[in-house]
Amino acid sequence: MALIAHKLTELRGVGPKLASRLQDYGVHGVEDLLFHLPLRYQDRTRVTPVAALRPGQEAVVEGTIKLCDIAFGRRRSLVAVLQDGSGALLTLRFFHFNAAQRNGLQPGCRVRCFGQARPGRSGLELIHPEYRLTGDAPAPVNETLTPIYPTTEGIGQLQWRKLCGQAVALLRKNPPADLLDGVCKLDFTLVDALIYLHAPPPDAPLALLQAGEHPAQLRLALEELLAHHLSLQALRQRERRSAAPAMPVESRAVSQFLARLPFRPTGAQQRVMHEIASDLASARPMLRLVQGDVGSGKTLVAAGAALQAMAAGYQVAIMAPTEILAEQHLSSFGAWFAEDDIDIVWLSGRIKGRARQQALARIAGGHAPLIIGTHALFQDDVIFARLGLLIIDEQHRFGVHQRLQLKAKASDWRPHQLVMTATPIPRTLSMVAYADLDCSVIDELPPGRQPVTTVLVDNQRRESVIERVAHACSEGRQAYWVCTLIEESDALQAQAAEATHAELGETLPELRIGLIHGRLPATEKAAVMQQFKAGDYDLLVATTVIEVGVDVPRASLMIIENPERLGLAQLHQLRGRVGRGSTASHCVLLYQAPLSANGRERLQAMRESSDGFFIAEKDLALRGPGEVLGTRQTGLMDFRIARLPEHDHLLDHVQVAAAALQAQHPKRVAPLIQRWTGSRQVFADV
Ligand code: ADP
Ligand code: MG
């Protein structure tokens, strides 16, 4: 249900040219104008006495010109000095001016100006103020604060004000019913909030507006977050209506498997395994997200689920975001299930030709119970005979889109889905980004893990770090040396790693140093990892290809070069490669000075904490939701009004309102989703 159905061209002053410019900018109808909210406001509702002006303040001042002349400083400028009733003087300065201006600003005439006060050579100055001569009669001031809109080339502020003003007037004339009416306690209706924000009254609290915390803004943010939350819930409900294969709980196969392991599952692992087992036993598709910090043992939980599905005669697909990680699963599952005689099919982008045809035939023939691979599993020609369970590891690397795409492949039934992530998702985000999933948390690390001590070292002291590596390795420890580049280019990353490999080889001839990067053929990558795991290398020089999932318990030292280039989540992932065994582990962040403020804050967070949840919250605060979820390019998490994590405090209300809306006004759900997520989201088609 649109708030307002008018077309842009129905507005005064909008011809085809402006309309198409607006379209290009994403404003397709009058309703979009209503949601095109100001970035900030100017106060032109009162005249400020010059004596009360503060540096930085934007204000209207009015007074008499005392003097006007051309000043020849570093740059020639027209300078006029104004005095008002407060007796104070203010300089107006123009670097670009014409003769008419110069002649217009004669001593004795009254002017009204608007501009930002800045400290100058002799007191405050307004540079290029807007001004007009007022004569003796007092001129009226604006009745509302002046909005400054986000804009694009070719559309001026005045134009935006006129357009949005007309949109607001149309809304006022015909205000629609409020979708949240009677659902929760509201300070503002949607209509009142929009009217207020396009033209706040003179006494509006500017600081609150600037912070995005004004009740009118909160009203809109609440509705927006609610719409996102509801859209995912709708998706989930639709999923839940489909059929899935019911797989009986397999306590025997699972306990036999566990009995073979050299360790006992933690309490948290057991709890989560139970949750999954009962989901799988149901004839409705499981949609479960397992969150567990790096090293919490998610793979084991996945193995339990896989056993249950296979015992029921269904295929299980396990998908990982990188080839190294997928290979590692291949080797873990291969070893774990060796006695069960389970035939595993391997599929990655590098499997081509005949080998690929064979793999596809085994998948389609239904003979292969377990398929492990990368996103190559998404390809159209991969057809599963009896896919019953899909396990996606390290979810944050896959977009929601991809998740949906693979889901869409199963035919008569939906496979159960298990999504595992090591990046804990702050509650805020999971409510609006993962509300379609149930959530299990592995909130316990296996016993005996040593915390990783993290230190920051300036690259100028690189030599001492190299010595430290030599020392650790001489004591039989293993180490990673991670080379980072901002470029996504595999080639450049590989180059950097090769150079470092050569450098360290020269300085540390006594060490056996391996090298791994994205350009190596898959078999070679696997071989290098295997050798490192077997202890054939002391030191592994790597790119961020080892970021997720790599598991070599004996490695207890990690050097990360240029950590300031990486995001917090990525650093946390990398660091999670050490501290997996029982030796005390260390992580050296070898940074390049000078650090930006943001960079310093990130590295300090790393030093302070190894708690994935703390780091995830910090990451969200520093980078915003789009970056954290990796959806920035898709626009999926681009909120119009809501800001995360600043608006976290609204989430309790979101939950309450969602429940109330669904119980009392189910008919309002679809229009609400449509209003806020429109065509941008796959979830919208409910
Ligand atoms: P992640 O959650 O990061 O995927 P993994 O599943 O790779 O963690 O497990 C990390 C390491 O801990 C592996 O070597 C795994 O065998 C081991 N592990 C898993 N569960 C336990 C446990 N309950 N006790 C001891 N070690 C465990
Ligand atoms: Mg893992």
Side-chain angles (χ1 to χ4, degrees):
M1 185 182 67
L3 272 178
I4 201 169
H6 297 266
K7 293 203 193 65
L8 287 173
T9 43
E10 293 173 49
L11 298 182
R12 253 173 298 118
V14 183
K17 201 160 138 216
L18 181 55
S20 100
R21 219 171 246 169
L22 286 165
Q23 299 262 10
D24 290 345
Y25 188 57
V27 173
H28 302 287
V30 173
E31 181 170 292
D32 290 328
L33 283 173
L34 291 173
F35 288 104
H36 186 67
L37 291 174
L39 284 173
R40 58 189 189 88
Y41 302 93
Q42 291 172 343
D43 186 355
R44 301 180 187 228
T45 65
R46 70 196 99 210
V47 176
T48 303
V50 172
L53 264 189
R54 298 269 161 274
Q57 186 182 354
E58 282 187 321
V60 178
V61 293
E62 190 169 315
T64 310
I65 298 294
K66 290 278 134 191
L67 178 154
C68 179
D69 208 350
I70 293 177
F72 297 90
R74 246 181 320 128
R75 273 175 79 189
R76 186 166 159 271
S77 59
L78 176 67
V79 170
V81 175
L82 169 150
Q83 186 174 41
D84 73 353
S86 70
L89 298 174
L90 177 69
T91 303
L92 317 179
R93 190 181 293 275
F94 303 86
F95 292 108
H96 309 281
F97 57 93
N98 53 34
Q101 262 176 315
R102 186 185 170 183
N103 297 331
L105 288 169
Q106 284 304 319
C109 64
R110 280 187 73 75
V111 289
R112 173 173 296 174
C113 324
F114 178 83
Q116 187 180 36
R118 299 194 203 166
R121 262 165 279 169
S122 47
L124 291 177
E125 299 189 349
L126 302 182
I127 314 279
H128 281 284
E130 296 171 33
Y131 73 94
R132 71 193 152 91
L133 303 177
T134 53
D136 290 333
V141 287
N142 289 2
E143 282 166 14
T144 66
L145 296 183
T146 307
I148 305 295
Y149 289 98
T151 188
T152 176
E153 216 183 300
I155 309 180
Q157 286 300 330
L158 207 60
Q159 244 165 341
W160 281 118
R161 271 172 226 160
K162 285 186 179 152
L163 292 170
C164 294
Q166 289 182 69
V168 168
L170 286 168
L171 184 68
R172 258 186 216 276
K173 219 160 64 191
N174 205 354
D178 201 289
L179 292 175
L180 298 191
D181 183 31
V183 172
C184 45
K185 190 186 142 313
L186 298 168
D187 297 329
F188 278 84
T189 65
L190 181 77
V191 169
D192 289 343
L194 290 171
I195 292 173
Y196 186 97
L197 292 173
H198 280 287
D203 59 352
L206 269 178
L208 215 54
L209 283 167
Q210 215 54 65
E213 294 289 343
H214 189 278
Q217 290 163 314
L218 295 181
R219 167 63 175 79
L220 298 182
L222 174 79
E223 191 175 310
E224 181 171 38
L225 290 170
L226 179 62
H228 280 260
H229 180 66
L230 287 168
S231 71
L232 286 166
Q233 283 205 330
L235 179 72
R236 165 206 179 101
Q237 280 160 5
R238 197 173 49 180
E239 279 295 310
R240 288 292 144 103
R241 282 196 293 270
S242 5
M247 305 162 172
V249 177
E250 250 307 317
S251 7
R252 228 177 52 125
V254 174
S255 54
Q256 277 174 357
F257 159 67
L258 292 177
R260 290 203 299 267
L261 294 178
F263 48 77
R264 280 176 48 77
T266 61
Q269 282 172 318
Q270 284 176 21
R271 175 171 43 76
V272 174
M273 285 171 92
H274 277 299
E275 287 167 356
I276 296 170
S278 61
D279 280 357
L280 292 179
S282 137
R284 297 285 159 214
M286 166 174 80
L287 290 163
R288 188 168 286 279
L289 176 71
V290 172
Q291 295 187 29
D293 211 341
V294 279
S296 61
K298 293 182 290 294
T299 323
L300 182 69
V301 167
L307 277 174
Q308 185 171 342
M310 291 187 294
Y314 291 95
Q315 286 178 308
V316 177
I318 301 180
M319 182 167 53
T322 69
E323 201 151 357
I324 291 188
L325 181 51
E327 266 156 18
Q328 193 163 288
H329 284 330
L330 182 66
S331 91
S332 306
F333 283 87
W336 282 346
F337 296 157
E339 286 183 29
D340 302 312
D341 211 15
I342 287 170
D343 188 11
I344 305 181
V345 171
W346 165 249
L347 197 64
S348 83
R350 298 188 198 248
I351 305 281
K352 301 229 160 77
R354 237 177 96 79
R356 184 175 152 81
Q357 288 315 317
Q358 276 172 355
L360 295 188
R362 285 163 71 202
I363 298 171
H367 307 302
L370 185 57
I371 301 102
I372 298 181
T374 58
H375 45 261
L377 292 176
F378 282 132
Q379 268 144 27
D380 283 338
D381 54 352
V382 183
I383 295 158
F384 297 91
R386 285 174 66 74
L387 183 62
L389 171 63
L390 169 62
I391 299 174
I392 303 182
D393 196 10
E394 311 295 354
Q395 155 76 11
H396 67 292
R397 286 302 194 89
F398 292 109
V400 180
H401 283 303
Q402 279 172 307
R403 206 169 82 214
L404 293 173
Q405 201 179 330
L406 203 134
K407 258 189 336 197
K409 286 197 161 190
S411 44
D412 322 359
W413 66 71
R414 293 295 211 188
H416 295 287
Q417 284 187 72
L418 185 62
V419 174
M420 304 197 290
T421 173
T423 309
I425 295 149
R427 198 174 74 94
T428 337
L429 269 190
S430 63
M431 276 192 59
V432 286
Y434 292 98
D436 57 330
L437 303 174
D438 289 315
C439 190
S440 297
V441 183
I442 309 184
D443 49 6
E444 184 184 350
L445 292 181
R449 288 281 163 80
Q450 301 285 331
V452 181
T453 312
T454 300
V455 293
L456 310 187
V457 179
D458 188 326
N459 193 37
Q460 293 195 333
R461 290 174 39 222
R462 189 182 179 85
E463 272 163 41
S464 72
V465 173
I466 296 178
E467 267 168 42
R468 185 171 183 159
V469 171
H471 181 74
C473 293
S474 74
E475 289 186 329
R477 294 166 63 187
Q478 284 179 289
Y480 295 99
W481 189 292
V482 186
C483 307
T484 68
L485 280 183
I486 333 171
E487 291 86 354
E488 284 289 303
S489 147
D490 272 359
L492 289 175
Q493 296 213 351
Q495 245 173 38
E498 273 162 9
T500 308
H501 182 249
E503 174 206 342
L504 292 173
E506 225 160 83
T507 345
L508 302 171
E510 70 281 14
L511 295 191
R512 297 161 303 165
I513 308 180
L515 171 66
I516 190 162
H517 56 67
R519 297 276 278 190
L520 294 180
T523 46
E524 202 168 322
K525 268 192 287 194
V528 172
M529 274 325 293
Q530 210 44 53
Q531 281 169 293
F532 186 57
K533 205 162 181 160
D536 298 345
Y537 291 125
D538 306 299
L539 176 62
L540 184 62
V541 176
T543 60
T544 49
V545 292
I546 61 156
E547 180 187 339
V548 285
V550 166
D551 182 36
V552 180
R554 236 185 323 165
S556 62
L557 174 62
M558 173 173 279
I559 318 299
I560 305 178
E561 278 202 70
N562 305 311
E564 70 278 3
R565 293 172 175 173
L566 301 184
L568 265 178
Q570 209 177 0
L571 285 170
H572 182 62
Q573 285 289 332
L574 274 173
R575 184 175 59 181
R577 303 308 112 217
V578 291
R580 304 193 142 231
S582 49
T583 359
S585 293
H586 294 85
C587 177
V588 178
L589 302 176
L590 190 58
Y591 67 89
Q592 193 72 50
L595 289 174
S596 68
N598 187 295
R600 179 174 304 278
E601 203 171 333
R602 265 179 289 143
L603 298 189
Q604 271 164 0
M606 287 297 293
R607 185 171 57 188
E608 269 166 42
S609 176
S610 54
D611 172 1
F613 274 93
F614 171 83
I615 288 180
E617 296 280 355
K618 197 89 191 176
D619 200 30
L620 180 60
L622 289 172
R623 285 194 306 161
E627 292 281 347
V628 170
L629 290 173
T631 56
R632 200 171 54 117
Q633 280 80 3
T634 67
L636 212 54
M637 278 296 129
D638 284 346
F639 298 114
R640 298 196 203 180
I641 318 280
R643 303 184 201 172
L644 296 177
E646 291 87 340
H647 287 151
D648 269 10
H649 56 95
L650 293 176
L651 289 167
D652 289 332
H653 302 292
V654 168
Q655 219 150 24
V656 173
L661 205 62
Q662 276 162 335
Q664 296 155 27
H665 306 284
K667 287 220 165 67
R668 295 189 197 167
V669 171
L672 192 67
I673 294 174
Q674 186 59 35
R675 171 181 298 165
W676 287 95
T677 64
S679 54
R680 294 187 305 161
Q681 301 216 3
V682 257
F683 324 126
D685 56 336
V686 282

